């Protein structure tokens, strides 16, 4: 159990789920995958991983707007296995599988 300004906050912990609060998630200055991003934390796309030559999924992700320099935010996760992820790029929202989001490398956006 962790605490915040309002007292204890209950979290379920197991091998697949982790609790993060926005302030303590340690991604500053390093790249992580989009599937590892906490909710409502803006990030900048660094790259999309091609897992094979002519990777159709990676190509489609780039066509949808997941290109270097674009801001992206994870807005919500599904109830079972935290899948799918609701992700916003620009003004467009997409539902992505965790395996698709894991191909997208991001870095935390600098505070304005």
């Amino acid at each position: 159990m962790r605490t915040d300004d309002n007292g204890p906050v209950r979290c379920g912990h197991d091998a697949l789920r982790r609790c993060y609060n926005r302030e303590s998630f340690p991604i500053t200055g390093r790249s992580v995958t989009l599937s590892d991003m906490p909710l409502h934390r803006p990030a900048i796309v660094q790259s999309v991983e091609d897992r094979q030559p002519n990777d159709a999924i990676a190509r489609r992700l780039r066509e949808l707007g997941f290109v270097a320099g674009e801001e992206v935010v994870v807005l919500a996760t599904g109830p079972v296995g935290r899948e799918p992820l609701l992700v916003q790029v620009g003004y467009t929202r997409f539902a992505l599988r965790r395996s698709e989001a894991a191909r997208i490398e991001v870095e935390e956006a600098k505070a304005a």
Side-chain angles (χ1 to χ4, degrees):
M1 187 176 305
R2 66 180 171 83
T3 61
D4 65 10
D5 294 336
N6 299 323
V9 177
R10 195 171 270 294
C11 292
H13 291 278
D14 61 25
L16 299 176
R17 295 187 304 165
R18 293 178 249 158
C19 287
Y20 300 115
N21 63 24
R22 292 177 67 185
E23 292 77 30
S24 69
F25 190 73
I27 67 165
T28 305
R30 65 183 180 94
S31 294
V32 296
T33 62
L34 186 59
S35 62
D36 293 330
M37 285 296 297
L39 298 178
H40 308 289
R41 186 116 171 235
I44 304 297
V45 174
Q46 298 299 306
S47 64
V48 176
E49 177 188 356
D50 287 289
R51 294 193 176 162
Q52 59 193 16
N54 297 321
D55 190 340
I57 294 172
R59 183 177 62 244
R60 183 66 177 148
L61 288 169
R62 287 186 203 98
E63 290 170 353
L64 291 173
F66 294 94
V67 293
E70 273 303 312
E71 186 172 294
V72 62
V73 179
V74 178
L75 298 175
T77 60
V80 179
R82 294 179 30 203
E83 192 165 17
L85 301 173
L86 177 61
V87 178
Q88 182 167 332
V89 177
Y91 296 105
T92 308
R93 294 178 178 186
F94 300 99
L96 296 179
R97 294 180 185 98
R98 282 194 142 333
S99 62
E100 295 165 343
R103 294 169 175 249
I104 303 168
E105 191 169 314
V106 298
E107 187 174 292
E108 182 179 23
K110 305 285 187 252

